[in-house]
Amino acid sequence: MRYDGLTDFLNTGARTLANGPVGMIFVEDLVEVESTITHHQKAGFAELLLFAPDALTLPGDMEHAIHRIPYAIAREGALEHAVNKVIDATPGRWLYYCFNAEYLFHPFCETRSVGELLAFHTEERRDAVLTYVVDLYADDLGQYPNAVALDHAFLDKSGYYALGRPDEDGNPRERQLDFFGGLRWRFEEHIPPARRKIDRISLFRAKKGLKLRADHTFSDEEYNTYACPWHNNITVAIASFRTAKALKSNAGSTFDIPTFKWHNSTAFNWSSQQLLDLGLMEPGQWF
């Protein structure tokens, strides 16, 4: 289904969405859009909303299987605007958002769907899932100058850390941390401080009045917590080429980076077990 824009979708398409979960994919460029769609279809999302420029061409069967919304994501605040509009239109539904060339992984995703994960998370009285955005990068930037290569993807196996997240008075927020690592940490001189975090609340239950903020946190502070007060909860990961793409497409950084590989690089095998073994997500009480 194709719409004339976000307003058209909100007026005519939002009411037709299945109960969920509903995924939103924001297309920043034309890199690996089809693989991003396919990955999330296989993950078990009931509906996918694709916010994309008109220049994107998709196979007919894929075009008909999604809700395509013309959208210019490069504008300041465009992501939050679209997500918040969908939140208002779909109260009670589980939502997810990512960008193209990003791939959601959750514990046991090879045999369990994202719907099963969210059913368990709901039973634990949780309305949001902490997500770590794990940077992927091609091993050979000479062969893959945009740093994207699904069959030759690498990630950092160490170098991740967390700091306390202060409130307005400088006191640490309860059960909230800022997480760092990957390319945003190793090449931080090229990353604005406000964009160095790798945590995101990518899976969440919509409700009236909830707002996504520019730093990928929500207006309801409980949504931003990594666990409930009584035990650890499920966390998930998004394997993402987004930072690598940006660093190689930006004239201020591309010539300073002949390779992203270092002694702590390891080949990504596209499995949830690898991410679990590296501590980049956890199953909580879900066994």
Side-chain angles (χ1 to χ4, degrees):
M1 177 70 71
R2 186 163 187 157
Y3 301 89
D4 292 334
L6 179 56
T7 300
D8 181 35
F9 167 75
L10 295 171
N11 289 337
T12 63
R15 70 175 72 95
T16 71
L17 294 178
N19 288 331
V22 175
M24 295 174 278
I25 300 172
F26 292 87
V27 177
E28 297 180 299
D29 52 39
L30 305 184
V31 177
E32 292 296 342
V33 178
E34 292 183 30
S35 67
T36 305
I37 294 171
T38 300
H39 178 90
H40 290 91
Q41 287 174 328
K42 291 179 178 178
F45 285 95
E47 309 269 9
L48 286 178
L49 315 182
L50 187 75
F51 296 80
D54 291 333
L56 175 68
T57 300
L58 294 174
D61 57 343
M62 183 172 285
E63 183 91 37
H64 293 308
I66 62 173
H67 299 266
R68 180 164 176 171
I69 303 165
Y71 200 68
I73 190 60
R75 294 171 296 150
E76 188 72 25
L79 172 71
E80 306 93 85
H81 175 76
V83 171
N84 289 332
K85 288 293 187 181
V86 175
I87 288 173
D88 289 342
T90 58
R93 285 189 179 90
W94 279 97
L95 302 177
Y96 163 81
Y97 74 94
C98 72
F99 300 90
N100 60 295
E102 292 193 328
Y103 308 89
L104 176 68
F105 285 81
H106 61 265
F108 324 119
C109 62
E110 290 80 8
T111 57
R112 303 182 193 177
S113 71
V114 67
E116 291 175 284
L117 175 144
L118 294 175
F120 177 84
H121 208 58
T122 300
E123 291 176 357
E124 295 218 306
R125 292 178 287 167
R126 295 288 286 168
D127 292 320
V129 185
L130 176 65
T131 308
Y132 303 112
V133 180
V134 180
D135 290 325
L136 299 181
Y137 45 88
D139 58 343
D140 185 346
L141 297 182
Q143 187 175 359
Y144 308 104
N146 68 353
V148 179
L150 273 62
D151 294 335
H152 296 269
F154 279 69
L155 76 164
D156 289 1
K157 62 183 178 181
S158 63
Y160 302 93
Y161 66 98
L163 298 175
R165 180 178 293 167
D167 61 17
E168 294 81 359
D169 299 321
N171 300 312
R173 293 187 182 274
E174 181 183 0
R175 292 176 286 116
Q176 293 192 39
L177 295 169
D178 290 329
F179 295 87
F180 303 89
L183 301 183
R184 293 171 187 254
W185 169 60
R186 287 201 279 131
F187 299 95
E188 65 176 12
E189 67 272 19
H190 298 294
I191 307 290
R195 298 183 179 179
R196 291 176 186 169
K197 296 193 307 110
I198 63 168
D199 52 276
R200 187 189 297 176
I201 308 299
S202 68
L203 279 162
F204 59 94
R205 193 204 297 270
K207 67 177 182 179
K208 287 292 185 183
L210 182 69
K211 299 297 180 186
L212 177 67
R213 302 186 290 215
D215 63 351
H216 295 290
T217 64
F218 281 95
S219 55
D220 183 335
E221 293 298 343
E222 186 61 29
Y223 276 60
N224 305 323
T225 57
Y226 55 79
C228 61
W230 47 90
H231 63 230
N232 288 344
N233 295 115
I234 295 169
T235 60
V236 301
I238 291 178
S240 172
F241 286 103
R242 188 171 180 239
T243 298
K245 282 194 302 168
L247 288 169
K248 287 308 295 180
S249 64
N250 190 319
S253 56
T254 185
F255 299 109
D256 293 338
I257 306 173
T259 181
F260 286 120
K261 290 187 69 177
W262 64 321
H263 62 281
N264 281 322
S265 294
T266 189
F268 183 44
N269 66 17
W270 296 92
S271 76
S272 62
Q273 191 60 54
Q274 183 182 28
L275 295 168
L276 287 165
D277 291 344
L278 292 174
L280 296 172
M281 61 183 182
E282 65 171 284
Q285 309 302 307
W286 199 35
F287 303 112

